[in-house]
Amino acid sequence: MTNRRMRLIALTLVLAVATLVAAVGPASAGTGGTLTVYSGRTSELIQPLLDEFSADTGVEIEVRYGDSADLALLIDEEGDQTPADVFISQSPGATGYLDGIDRLRKIDQDVLDLVDPRYHAADGRWTGVSGRVRVLVYNTDLVKRGDLPDSVFALTKPKYEDQVAVAPTNGSFQDFVTAMRELEGEKRTKKWLAGMEANGARAYASNSAIVEAVGRGEVPMGLVNHYYAALAKAADPSTPVENHVFANEDVGSVILVTAAAVIDQTDDRKLAERFVRYLLSKAAQTHLAEDEFEYPLARGVKALGDLPPLSKVDAPQLDLSTLGGGLLRTRELIAESGLEQA
C-alpha cells in the first residue's frame, strides 16, 4: 500500500468519526452521560421520574438518598470534591442553605419562567418543582371536626395533651418551624416548641409514619404535608384520615415546595439543567399531581381534581428564599426543645 493511499484511508476514518460525533452529539446533548443526584425525596416518591428520564435520554443516574438537610450539609462538607450534579430537596430550606454559601449555579431564565416567581429563588439558583400545604391530619373516628383547633398555636393547650404527632427531623417540619420564626418571631417559636414538648407531642421519623399512626388510631392528630392522607387513602380507602387546613393565614398551613438545584461543582451543567427542566415538564408534573397528589408548579398543569388551587389556600405570605438562612438555627431550637426525644 502506498503512503498516499494510507493517508487517504486515515483521512477517511477521521472524517467518519467526526461525522459520527456530529450526528450523536456530546453526552449532555441527550444521548447518554451520567448524572449524580442527591435526593432528599424518598425513592418511593422520586425514583419513577429518574427512571423515566433515563429511559427517555439514555442518561445514567446515580442517586444518593437521605434527609434533605443532611445532604445539603454533606455537599457543603464535600466541597469541590462532591460528585453531586443536582440536588433535590424535600423543601426549600436545604437548597436555600446551599444558596447562602454559594454552592449553587444560577438556572437558565427560560427554566425559571416555567413556574411562578413565588416558587423559585429570587436569585434564580433553585426552583420549586411541586408544592404542598402543611396541614393537621386527624383520625375521623377519634376527632370531631368541631374539636379541631383554629391555629397551630392552640396545640399547646391542655385540650390537645398527648394528642399530636410531629416529625422533628423531617425537612418539611423544619422549614415550617423556620417559617414560624420568620412570621412570628424566634421568641414565640421557641415557646411553641417547648409547649409542644411539654404537652406530650409524640415524635415520629417522617410524615408517612405519622399518617400511618393516625390511621391506626395510635395518635389522634399529626402535623404533616397535605398529600400523605391522600396517599394513605389511595392505598386503603377505608383509612380514617382527613386533613384540617388552618385558616386566617395561620403559619400551620404554610405552603412549601420541593426544590431542585444545580450544584456549583457539576461538570455537566447542560445535562444538569436538562434534568431540572424535565422535572418541570408536563409529563413529570402530571406524575407528581396524579400519583403523588402534590401541586404541580409548572404553568399550565392543573392540580388533581379535588384539591383547591394553591391561590385559594388561606396560607401566610412567605418568601421561600428566607428559609435557607435559618436552617441551622431552626435545628438548634428543635434540638433544645427536646421534641426529638418525645
Side-chain angles (χ1 to χ4, degrees):
M1 184 179 296
T2 65
N3 289 338
R4 182 183 181 191
R5 182 168 176 75
M6 291 178 65
R7 286 197 296 272
L8 283 172
I9 291 174
L11 179 60
T12 301
L13 288 173
V14 169
L15 289 174
V17 170
T19 301
L20 180 61
V21 170
V24 173
S28 61
T31 57
T34 300
L35 195 69
T36 300
V37 176
Y38 280 21
S39 177
R41 304 227 71 188
T42 64
S43 173
E44 180 184 11
L45 294 176
I46 203 71
Q47 190 63 49
L49 292 180
L50 305 185
D51 292 341
E52 186 171 318
F53 180 76
S54 290
D56 289 348
T57 62
V59 173
E60 180 182 351
I61 293 184
E62 297 177 351
V63 58
R64 178 167 187 160
Y65 290 105
D67 174 80
S68 296
D70 290 343
L71 289 174
L73 294 172
L74 178 62
I75 291 170
D76 180 21
E77 181 180 323
E78 290 175 335
D80 59 6
Q81 299 301 310
T82 183
D85 297 299
V86 172
F87 177 45
I88 299 174
S89 176
Q90 183 174 345
S91 49
T95 41
Y97 169 75
L98 290 176
D99 188 5
I101 56 174
D102 297 326
R103 293 304 313 274
L104 304 179
R105 287 178 177 264
K106 188 175 186 304
I107 297 172
D108 281 349
Q109 190 62 44
D110 63 333
V111 178
L112 297 173
D113 288 343
L114 294 173
V115 305
D116 188 291
R118 289 175 296 174
Y119 305 123
H120 66 67
D123 64 4
R125 295 184 186 274
W126 59 260
T127 179
V129 173
S130 61
R132 68 189 66 114
V133 180
R134 293 290 297 177
V135 298
L136 180 71
V137 67
Y138 66 97
N139 184 304
T140 53
D141 293 336
L142 301 176
V143 182
K144 297 178 181 178
R145 287 196 61 84
D147 291 332
L148 293 167
D150 294 330
S151 167
V152 73
F153 289 101
L155 294 175
T156 60
K157 294 182 177 179
K159 178 179 181 179
Y160 299 106
E161 184 176 2
D162 298 328
Q163 302 286 300
V164 185
V166 294
T169 61
N170 176 266
S172 291
F173 180 82
Q174 292 171 358
D175 276 355
F176 149 68
V177 174
T178 305
M180 184 184 286
R181 289 176 55 216
E182 286 289 325
L183 296 169
E184 305 289 342
E186 183 159 319
K187 183 177 180 180
R188 192 178 189 193
T189 302
K190 193 172 180 177
K191 183 179 179 181
W192 181 81
L193 289 168
M196 291 295 289
E197 194 279 333
N199 213 29
R202 308 184 200 179
Y204 287 81
S206 64
N207 288 304
S208 56
I210 288 176
V211 174
E212 289 171 7
V214 171
R216 292 193 302 268
E218 183 176 302
V219 59
M221 312 176 215
L223 290 171
V224 297
N225 298 327
H226 78 273
Y227 52 88
Y228 286 96
L231 288 170
K233 293 172 79 171
D236 180 0
S238 67
T239 306
V241 295
E242 292 290 345
N243 288 332
H244 172 56
V245 181
F246 298 105
N248 301 318
E249 299 187 0
D250 191 271
V251 68
S253 292
V254 67
I255 295 173
L256 300 174
V257 302
T258 290
V262 177
I263 303 301
D264 63 336
Q265 294 297 321
T266 180
D267 56 5
D268 200 335
R269 177 179 181 175
K270 288 185 178 179
L271 182 57
E273 286 206 344
R274 185 182 180 191
F275 176 69
V276 174
R277 186 190 300 273
Y278 163 75
L279 293 176
L280 293 169
S281 68
K282 185 175 182 179
Q285 293 283 292
T286 300
H287 167 83
L288 291 168
E290 296 183 351
D291 291 20
E292 312 301 343
F293 304 100
E294 297 184 58
Y295 282 96
L297 293 185
R299 300 178 196 276
V301 184
K302 294 183 178 179
L304 206 63
D306 59 349
L307 282 177
L310 275 180
S311 59
K312 300 296 184 183
V313 177
D314 195 9
Q317 298 297 312
L318 176 71
D319 179 0
L320 295 174
S321 298
T322 62
L323 298 183
L327 176 63
L328 295 180
R329 179 58 181 154
T330 290
R331 296 184 85 179
E332 289 175 357
L333 290 178
I334 293 173
E336 291 171 2
S337 74
L339 271 179
E340 293 177 358
Q341 287 76 43

